[in-house]
Amino acid sequence: MIPKKRPVRKQIPKNVPIPKLKGEKIQPKPYSIEINKILAPDFSIPVKNRKISKEEFNGNNIIVVFVDSLFSPFTEALASKVEKLNLKRTKFIIISVNDSDFAFVETFKKLLHIKKTIVSADSYVFKQFKSKIKEISVPSMLIIDKYGFIRYFSPHIEGENTEKLVLELNELLKSLNKEKKG
């Protein structure tokens, strides 16, 4: 039997106007989804000569960004901008899911003058978070509060304006700190 030909899909015209939204402007957020209480997995991040465990971050908010590669324009811009921020009681972690990047972590930090941001490469850490939140992909971002709960995540952040993203993250962290005090 000869299979029938597949039906031809209609092409969408390229110059179709995009409808304008009516009403109030929605403020963009640095995250896509806010969740109540999902406990972050027990993870440990390999760094130069040791592993940093989740327990070492207790009492601090943690921003974890998973990226495809350390040496991409997005990752470099994000790391440089975050390094300039004064994030009190917040740890910023960049993890490449490409395990071969681990050999270049120190070079990456030295080239971009990174001292405060934790940088690593470990696909297993991503798999641990993926088991808790199925929707995340690479690149993505998670925010863990000081009690160890994943509070916010954005399943896809590539292509974002890094400067705007960092400023919005700063505002989000301020609100998260105020929320816990009250």
Side-chain angles (χ1 to χ4, degrees):
M1 254 191 202
I2 300 174
K4 295 180 183 179
K5 289 185 178 180
R6 292 184 181 193
V8 179
R9 293 184 181 180
K10 292 182 181 179
Q11 295 292 327
I12 299 173
K14 292 185 179 180
N15 48 355
V16 174
I18 298 173
K20 292 188 177 185
L21 297 175
K22 296 177 182 176
E24 290 184 32
K25 284 189 174 183
I26 299 171
Q27 291 295 325
K29 297 179 181 178
Y31 59 90
S32 299
I33 302 164
E34 181 176 356
I35 48 183
N36 283 331
K37 292 195 177 192
I38 294 180
L39 190 61
D42 289 329
F43 60 91
S44 59
I45 301 165
V47 291
K48 197 172 185 178
N49 295 324
R50 65 186 191 103
K51 286 190 170 214
I52 301 174
S53 66
K54 175 185 166 186
E55 287 76 32
E56 292 181 47
F57 298 117
N58 283 348
N60 293 308
N61 294 315
I62 308 167
I63 302 171
V64 182
V65 177
F66 294 105
V67 295
D68 290 327
S69 171
L70 291 179
F71 291 98
S72 70
F74 173 75
T75 308
E76 292 174 10
L78 184 64
S80 296
K81 297 230 181 341
V82 168
E83 190 67 22
K84 294 175 186 172
L85 283 178
N86 184 14
L87 297 173
K88 293 180 182 175
R89 304 197 54 79
T90 301
K91 299 295 180 187
F92 196 86
I93 304 169
I94 297 174
I95 300 175
S96 172
V97 296
N98 184 354
D99 291 333
S100 63
D101 278 347
F102 190 76
F104 303 106
V105 166
E106 291 304 313
T107 305
F108 178 80
K109 290 175 75 172
K110 190 181 291 183
L111 289 172
L112 296 174
H113 308 291
I114 294 175
K115 294 182 173 82
K116 298 184 288 186
T117 303
I118 298 168
V119 180
S120 187
D122 190 0
S123 61
Y124 182 67
V125 175
F126 176 72
K127 287 178 186 176
Q128 287 177 304
F129 280 96
K130 182 88 172 162
S131 71
K132 293 278 186 171
I133 302 174
K134 306 284 185 227
E135 294 87 11
I136 66 170
S137 61
V138 177
S140 60
M141 178 185 66
L142 299 153
I143 299 176
I144 304 169
D145 69 10
K146 61 185 174 184
Y147 300 108
F149 291 101
I150 300 171
R151 292 292 305 277
Y152 306 98
F153 73 94
S154 186
H156 189 74
I157 59 171
E158 192 171 46
E160 299 271 343
N161 179 350
T162 54
E163 192 168 317
K164 186 176 175 183
L165 178 68
V166 169
L167 291 174
E168 290 171 353
L169 274 173
N170 200 19
E171 292 300 315
L172 177 65
L173 289 169
K174 285 179 186 175
S175 69
L176 192 60
N177 288 333
K178 288 178 187 175
E179 175 186 311
K180 294 298 177 188
K181 290 178 184 176

